[in-house]
Amino acid sequence: MPTVSVAGARVRYERTGSGPALVLVHGTGSLGAALTWGQVAPRFAGHHTVLTPDLSGSGETTDEGGPLTVEGLAGQVIAVIEDAGTGPVDLLGFSMGATVVCAVAALRPDLVRRLIVVAGWAWTDGDEYLRNLLKTWESLAAADAGAFGRLVTITGFSHGFLNAIGRAEVDALIPNMPPTPGTLRHVDLDRRVDIRELLPRIEAPTLVLGCAQDLTVPVANSRALHEAIPGSSYAEMDTGHVAFFEKPGEFVKIVGDFLTP
């Protein structure tokens, strides 16, 4: 895997496929890009050069271990784009990654052709549900790792999806976001997110994709992002937070249609 150094971090990323560049930026969790994009990246790689970086706190990326910032993680994505030599790129971010790609588009509009923001939010302290959920994650991480995994799972997926896949598959999902130090660095950042001042600076054509049954980042946050990003379009999937796990075909079609109008 290629590696690029930026601000004390050695950022690993994977490059697959060929064609116009598409960068996929993962959300909270130390398992990073491989877990998040394992199902959908191959679907895009037939028509795109797909770049999937591991941000600090995840995967094989290493750094000094301090508190994270949205701008610092945006700098890592910028470094990956420049190292790969593929800019301007189509840029997609999920959950925590949605806040990061918004920052990239605002700070370096020259590097972003189109922007897709999935299940994101602008300001944690503006949503009491989200603020308290993240505080609960932190408390459970210290007290009961199993309960942490179960809460992340039942808020990450819709009721119907969990029932449809059955108990064995649900139990298999629970270890996918262990409360490792890297995960908790992400959660700490999630609790401090405030990108409201960056959103009006986004120039790239933008699709905001919300998840109607989202119990992690309630869909009202996606609707608010749409209102705040100039000229953005909006779509909504009838899924829980991790839309591309529940309905990968629909997700890929929505994204693909936006990237090739």
Side-chain angles (χ1 to χ4, degrees):
M1 292 175 64
T3 303
V4 59
S5 296
V6 52
R10 289 181 56 78
V11 180
R12 293 288 189 97
Y13 66 96
E14 186 170 0
R15 178 174 182 156
T16 57
S18 61
L22 171 64
V23 182
L24 304 176
V25 181
H26 65 80
T28 298
S30 58
L31 299 185
L35 174 66
T36 305
W37 305 120
Q39 290 191 47
V40 297
R43 297 183 182 225
F44 290 120
H47 304 282
H48 298 271
T49 298
V50 179
L51 305 176
T52 51
D54 279 327
L55 303 178
S56 278
S58 67
E60 296 184 50
T61 288
T62 59
D63 67 5
E64 297 172 354
L68 301 172
T69 66
V70 170
E71 292 80 4
L73 296 183
Q76 295 182 3
V77 175
I78 290 167
V80 166
I81 296 170
E82 292 180 331
D83 185 68
T86 53
V89 302
D90 297 322
L91 182 59
L92 184 155
F94 163 66
S95 194
M96 181 188 76
T99 72
V100 174
V101 299
C102 285
V104 173
L107 298 171
R108 290 294 305 272
D110 57 306
L111 292 181
V112 182
R113 188 181 79 96
R114 286 180 177 266
L115 179 68
I116 305 100
V117 181
V118 182
W121 76 101
W123 181 36
T124 306
D125 280 349
D127 186 330
E128 280 301 305
Y129 173 92
L130 178 58
R131 185 181 71 84
N132 277 284
L133 177 64
L134 294 171
K135 288 184 71 173
T136 302
W137 281 8
E138 285 189 330
S139 298
L140 277 179
D144 189 332
F148 175 90
R150 289 189 183 277
L151 179 60
V152 168
T153 300
I154 63 176
T155 58
F157 299 94
S158 67
H159 180 201
F161 177 77
L162 293 174
N163 278 339
I165 63 174
R167 183 172 301 174
E169 290 297 322
V170 171
D171 287 346
L173 290 171
I174 291 169
N176 282 344
M177 200 168 103
T180 61
T183 295
L184 294 179
R185 290 174 72 197
H186 292 170
V187 176
D188 172 69
L189 171 59
D190 293 341
R191 289 186 58 193
R192 294 181 282 106
V193 162
D194 186 354
I195 58 169
R196 290 174 294 170
E197 292 185 359
L198 292 174
L199 299 177
R201 297 168 57 181
I202 295 174
E203 301 175 5
T206 300
L207 171 66
V208 178
L209 181 55
C211 303
Q213 300 185 55
D214 197 335
L215 294 178
T216 301
V217 182
V219 70
N221 289 279
S222 287
R223 296 169 185 164
L225 280 172
H226 165 52
E227 292 297 324
I229 297 174
S232 64
S233 22
Y234 183 75
E236 201 164 286
M237 292 180 62
D238 188 22
T239 68
H241 188 60
V242 195
F244 43 86
F245 269 47
E246 294 196 21
K247 297 183 178 180
E250 181 181 341
F251 178 83
V252 170
K253 184 179 188 308
I254 290 171
V255 172
D257 288 349
F258 177 72
L259 296 182
T260 54

